[in-house]
Amino acid sequence: MGNFTSVEFHTAVHGKEKYSQAFERLYRVLVQPKYRILLMSCYFVLVPGTGDATLCNQLMPTQPLLKEFSANIRDRMATYLGDDTKFITMTNPCRIRHLTRRMVFCRSDVLNKLLSTSILTSGTDYKIATPAELKEMLINTLLGQGHLCPNKPGVHSVLKHDAALLLYPHPDLVCIADLSCPSFISSVDSTTICNVESFSKNRSFISYDVISGKAQKLAL
């Protein structure tokens, strides 16, 4: 999940050139012989962030990466592997069904959006919530409201496509990339909800086993 470059696409000098070059470097890395088994056995699903090359990237749901930047690497991967389904650019949020598991992936700083209208962190010290309390608030709000953008409708979302943000009925996995909240893995009834942190900074990721329904945090 994005952002896929360290500098936001719309603010970078020569943004188009650097963005295209970044995907070219990604392709050269992936086609190295040592990654052949990874390419043959995995799917690459790209979910854009707020700093990526998409239209209206501050609103959800967000459209996939612009084809101007993603089509070249997708076509080259298809030629290299003989399979045009291995490299996929998706919307944000993205829904995936694998075996019997229903999974939702979302790149959004949901906690920051909640705190912008919350009384928990405003005013005097006794109203300031701890990180653990904020994490619980995030989990309970997302699953309680059954919505990936639980703020006032239309503020951070496109009302016409609001149904794409619903979390009801609850899926088996909700994976968010919220950089305003610490990484966590939690289970509520039959739903696993987790938050992944920046891989470039922490070299960590979350693995989810669709057979057992268990998630665990791993690091390199």
Side-chain angles (χ1 to χ4, degrees), residues 30 32-42 44 80-81 86:
L30 292 177
Q32 293 181 29
K34 62 181 178 180
Y35 295 124
R36 177 73 180 180
I37 188 172
L38 183 66
L39 290 177
M40 297 299 295
S41 59
C42 296
F44 293 84
Y80 181 76
L81 297 172
K86 290 288 188 178

PDB file of all heavy atoms in Angstrom, residues 30 32-42 44 80-81 86:
ATOM      1  N   LEU A  30      12.640  -6.934  -9.438  1.00  0.00           N
ATOM      2  CA  LEU A  30      11.781  -8.120  -9.393  1.00  0.00           C
ATOM      3  C   LEU A  30      12.184  -9.199 -10.393  1.00  0.00           C
ATOM      4  O   LEU A  30      11.946 -10.391 -10.145  1.00  0.00           O
ATOM      5  CB  LEU A  30      10.325  -7.714  -9.639  1.00  0.00           C
ATOM      6  CG  LEU A  30       9.659  -6.885  -8.536  1.00  0.00           C
ATOM      7  CD1 LEU A  30       8.249  -6.485  -8.949  1.00  0.00           C
ATOM      8  CD2 LEU A  30       9.619  -7.652  -7.218  1.00  0.00           C
ATOM      9  N   GLN A  32      15.140 -10.096 -11.199  1.00  0.00           N
ATOM     10  CA  GLN A  32      16.391 -10.761 -10.868  1.00  0.00           C
ATOM     11  C   GLN A  32      16.122 -12.237 -10.580  1.00  0.00           C
ATOM     12  O   GLN A  32      15.084 -12.593 -10.020  1.00  0.00           O
ATOM     13  CB  GLN A  32      17.044 -10.102  -9.655  1.00  0.00           C
ATOM     14  CG  GLN A  32      17.523  -8.678  -9.899  1.00  0.00           C
ATOM     15  CD  GLN A  32      18.184  -8.077  -8.674  1.00  0.00           C
ATOM     16  OE1 GLN A  32      18.765  -8.791  -7.856  1.00  0.00           O
ATOM     17  NE2 GLN A  32      18.096  -6.762  -8.535  1.00  0.00           N
ATOM     18  N   PRO A  33      17.046 -13.123 -10.963  1.00  0.00           N
ATOM     19  CA  PRO A  33      16.831 -14.573 -10.809  1.00  0.00           C
ATOM     20  C   PRO A  33      16.433 -15.001  -9.396  1.00  0.00           C
ATOM     21  O   PRO A  33      15.625 -15.915  -9.224  1.00  0.00           O
ATOM     22  CB  PRO A  33      18.186 -15.169 -11.212  1.00  0.00           C
ATOM     23  CG  PRO A  33      18.759 -14.164 -12.158  1.00  0.00           C
ATOM     24  CD  PRO A  33      18.324 -12.824 -11.640  1.00  0.00           C
ATOM     25  N   LYS A  34      16.974 -14.336  -8.372  1.00  0.00           N
ATOM     26  CA  LYS A  34      16.689 -14.765  -7.001  1.00  0.00           C
ATOM     27  C   LYS A  34      15.243 -14.507  -6.595  1.00  0.00           C
ATOM     28  O   LYS A  34      14.776 -15.047  -5.588  1.00  0.00           O
ATOM     29  CB  LYS A  34      17.641 -14.088  -6.021  1.00  0.00           C
ATOM     30  CG  LYS A  34      17.542 -12.570  -5.977  1.00  0.00           C
ATOM     31  CD  LYS A  34      18.547 -12.008  -4.981  1.00  0.00           C
ATOM     32  CE  LYS A  34      18.526 -10.485  -4.943  1.00  0.00           C
ATOM     33  NZ  LYS A  34      19.506  -9.949  -3.960  1.00  0.00           N
ATOM     34  N   TYR A  35      14.533 -13.673  -7.363  1.00  0.00           N
ATOM     35  CA  TYR A  35      13.137 -13.392  -7.041  1.00  0.00           C
ATOM     36  C   TYR A  35      12.173 -14.132  -7.967  1.00  0.00           C
ATOM     37  O   TYR A  35      10.971 -13.888  -7.932  1.00  0.00           O
ATOM     38  CB  TYR A  35      12.864 -11.888  -7.123  1.00  0.00           C
ATOM     39  CG  TYR A  35      13.622 -11.073  -6.097  1.00  0.00           C
ATOM     40  CD1 TYR A  35      14.451 -10.025  -6.488  1.00  0.00           C
ATOM     41  CD2 TYR A  35      13.522 -11.365  -4.740  1.00  0.00           C
ATOM     42  CE1 TYR A  35      15.152  -9.283  -5.551  1.00  0.00           C
ATOM     43  CE2 TYR A  35      14.222 -10.628  -3.800  1.00  0.00           C
ATOM     44  CZ  TYR A  35      15.036  -9.590  -4.213  1.00  0.00           C
ATOM     45  OH  TYR A  35      15.739  -8.862  -3.283  1.00  0.00           O
ATOM     46  N   ARG A  36      12.689 -15.029  -8.789  1.00  0.00           N
ATOM     47  CA  ARG A  36      11.854 -15.737  -9.755  1.00  0.00           C
ATOM     48  C   ARG A  36      10.720 -16.504  -9.068  1.00  0.00           C
ATOM     49  O   ARG A  36       9.565 -16.443  -9.497  1.00  0.00           O
ATOM     50  CB  ARG A  36      12.714 -16.709 -10.558  1.00  0.00           C
ATOM     51  CG  ARG A  36      11.946 -17.566 -11.563  1.00  0.00           C
ATOM     52  CD  ARG A  36      11.488 -16.766 -12.749  1.00  0.00           C
ATOM     53  NE  ARG A  36      10.747 -17.592 -13.703  1.00  0.00           N
ATOM     54  CZ  ARG A  36      10.239 -17.149 -14.833  1.00  0.00           C
ATOM     55  NH1 ARG A  36      10.383 -15.874 -15.165  1.00  0.00           N
ATOM     56  NH2 ARG A  36       9.580 -17.950 -15.643  1.00  0.00           N
ATOM     57  N   ILE A  37      11.040 -17.211  -7.985  1.00  0.00           N
ATOM     58  CA  ILE A  37      10.012 -17.991  -7.288  1.00  0.00           C
ATOM     59  C   ILE A  37       8.948 -17.079  -6.679  1.00  0.00           C
ATOM     60  O   ILE A  37       7.770 -17.435  -6.600  1.00  0.00           O
ATOM     61  CB  ILE A  37      10.654 -18.889  -6.201  1.00  0.00           C
ATOM     62  CG1 ILE A  37       9.602 -19.845  -5.630  1.00  0.00           C
ATOM     63  CG2 ILE A  37      11.272 -18.043  -5.092  1.00  0.00           C
ATOM     64  CD1 ILE A  37      10.197 -20.889  -4.703  1.00  0.00           C
ATOM     65  N   LEU A  38       9.375 -15.887  -6.256  1.00  0.00           N
ATOM     66  CA  LEU A  38       8.423 -14.919  -5.702  1.00  0.00           C
ATOM     67  C   LEU A  38       7.449 -14.461  -6.780  1.00  0.00           C
ATOM     68  O   LEU A  38       6.239 -14.381  -6.549  1.00  0.00           O
ATOM     69  CB  LEU A  38       9.183 -13.723  -5.128  1.00  0.00           C
ATOM     70  CG  LEU A  38       8.359 -12.633  -4.440  1.00  0.00           C
ATOM     71  CD1 LEU A  38       7.710 -13.177  -3.175  1.00  0.00           C
ATOM     72  CD2 LEU A  38       9.232 -11.429  -4.105  1.00  0.00           C
ATOM     73  N   LEU A  39       7.972 -14.195  -7.962  1.00  0.00           N
ATOM     74  CA  LEU A  39       7.119 -13.746  -9.058  1.00  0.00           C
ATOM     75  C   LEU A  39       6.148 -14.838  -9.496  1.00  0.00           C
ATOM     76  O   LEU A  39       5.000 -14.562  -9.844  1.00  0.00           O
ATOM     77  CB  LEU A  39       7.980 -13.322 -10.251  1.00  0.00           C
ATOM     78  CG  LEU A  39       8.792 -12.038 -10.094  1.00  0.00           C
ATOM     79  CD1 LEU A  39       9.638 -11.796 -11.335  1.00  0.00           C
ATOM     80  CD2 LEU A  39       7.877 -10.850  -9.860  1.00  0.00           C
ATOM     81  N   MET A  40       6.601 -16.075  -9.470  1.00  0.00           N
ATOM     82  CA  MET A  40       5.765 -17.171  -9.940  1.00  0.00           C
ATOM     83  C   MET A  40       4.656 -17.525  -8.955  1.00  0.00           C
ATOM     84  O   MET A  40       3.599 -18.016  -9.348  1.00  0.00           O
ATOM     85  CB  MET A  40       6.633 -18.410 -10.200  1.00  0.00           C
ATOM     86  CG  MET A  40       7.665 -18.225 -11.297  1.00  0.00           C
ATOM     87  SD  MET A  40       6.940 -17.841 -12.912  1.00  0.00           S
ATOM     88  CE  MET A  40       6.048 -19.355 -13.247  1.00  0.00           C
ATOM     89  N   SER A  41       4.884 -17.276  -7.666  1.00  0.00           N
ATOM     90  CA  SER A  41       3.935 -17.747  -6.650  1.00  0.00           C
ATOM     91  C   SER A  41       3.096 -16.642  -6.018  1.00  0.00           C
ATOM     92  O   SER A  41       2.189 -16.937  -5.238  1.00  0.00           O
ATOM     93  CB  SER A  41       4.696 -18.487  -5.542  1.00  0.00           C
ATOM     94  OG  SER A  41       5.660 -17.632  -4.936  1.00  0.00           O
ATOM     95  N   CYS A  42       3.387 -15.380  -6.329  1.00  0.00           N
ATOM     96  CA  CYS A  42       2.697 -14.271  -5.662  1.00  0.00           C
ATOM     97  C   CYS A  42       1.970 -13.370  -6.650  1.00  0.00           C
ATOM     98  O   CYS A  42       2.268 -13.350  -7.843  1.00  0.00           O
ATOM     99  CB  CYS A  42       3.698 -13.421  -4.867  1.00  0.00           C
ATOM    100  SG  CYS A  42       4.487 -14.280  -3.501  1.00  0.00           S
ATOM    101  N   PHE A  44       0.997  -9.264  -7.087  1.00  0.00           N
ATOM    102  CA  PHE A  44       1.385  -7.932  -6.635  1.00  0.00           C
ATOM    103  C   PHE A  44       0.180  -7.007  -6.802  1.00  0.00           C
ATOM    104  O   PHE A  44      -0.238  -6.708  -7.926  1.00  0.00           O
ATOM    105  CB  PHE A  44       2.575  -7.418  -7.442  1.00  0.00           C
ATOM    106  CG  PHE A  44       3.842  -8.193  -7.196  1.00  0.00           C
ATOM    107  CD1 PHE A  44       4.092  -9.376  -7.880  1.00  0.00           C
ATOM    108  CD2 PHE A  44       4.762  -7.760  -6.258  1.00  0.00           C
ATOM    109  CE1 PHE A  44       5.246 -10.103  -7.643  1.00  0.00           C
ATOM    110  CE2 PHE A  44       5.921  -8.482  -6.015  1.00  0.00           C
ATOM    111  CZ  PHE A  44       6.161  -9.661  -6.705  1.00  0.00           C
ATOM    112  N   TYR A  80       7.029 -11.109 -19.264  1.00  0.00           N
ATOM    113  CA  TYR A  80       8.091 -11.869 -18.595  1.00  0.00           C
ATOM    114  C   TYR A  80       7.555 -13.170 -18.001  1.00  0.00           C
ATOM    115  O   TYR A  80       8.209 -14.218 -18.072  1.00  0.00           O
ATOM    116  CB  TYR A  80       8.712 -11.001 -17.502  1.00  0.00           C
ATOM    117  CG  TYR A  80       9.843 -11.648 -16.747  1.00  0.00           C
ATOM    118  CD1 TYR A  80      11.113 -11.767 -17.314  1.00  0.00           C
ATOM    119  CD2 TYR A  80       9.652 -12.133 -15.457  1.00  0.00           C
ATOM    120  CE1 TYR A  80      12.154 -12.358 -16.619  1.00  0.00           C
ATOM    121  CE2 TYR A  80      10.690 -12.723 -14.753  1.00  0.00           C
ATOM    122  CZ  TYR A  80      11.938 -12.836 -15.337  1.00  0.00           C
ATOM    123  OH  TYR A  80      12.965 -13.425 -14.638  1.00  0.00           O
ATOM    124  N   LEU A  81       6.353 -13.117 -17.428  1.00  0.00           N
ATOM    125  CA  LEU A  81       5.790 -14.277 -16.740  1.00  0.00           C
ATOM    126  C   LEU A  81       4.822 -15.079 -17.599  1.00  0.00           C
ATOM    127  O   LEU A  81       4.483 -16.210 -17.255  1.00  0.00           O
ATOM    128  CB  LEU A  81       5.062 -13.827 -15.466  1.00  0.00           C
ATOM    129  CG  LEU A  81       5.913 -13.171 -14.382  1.00  0.00           C
ATOM    130  CD1 LEU A  81       5.019 -12.613 -13.281  1.00  0.00           C
ATOM    131  CD2 LEU A  81       6.897 -14.177 -13.794  1.00  0.00           C
ATOM    132  N   LYS A  86      -0.758 -11.105 -12.637  1.00  0.00           N
ATOM    133  CA  LYS A  86       0.137 -11.098 -11.482  1.00  0.00           C
ATOM    134  C   LYS A  86       0.365  -9.704 -10.905  1.00  0.00           C
ATOM    135  O   LYS A  86       0.702  -9.560  -9.741  1.00  0.00           O
ATOM    136  CB  LYS A  86       1.491 -11.714 -11.866  1.00  0.00           C
ATOM    137  CG  LYS A  86       1.453 -13.207 -12.126  1.00  0.00           C
ATOM    138  CD  LYS A  86       1.268 -13.991 -10.836  1.00  0.00           C
ATOM    139  CE  LYS A  86       1.420 -15.475 -11.051  1.00  0.00           C
ATOM    140  NZ  LYS A  86       1.300 -16.239  -9.793  1.00  0.00           N
TER     141      LYS A  86
END
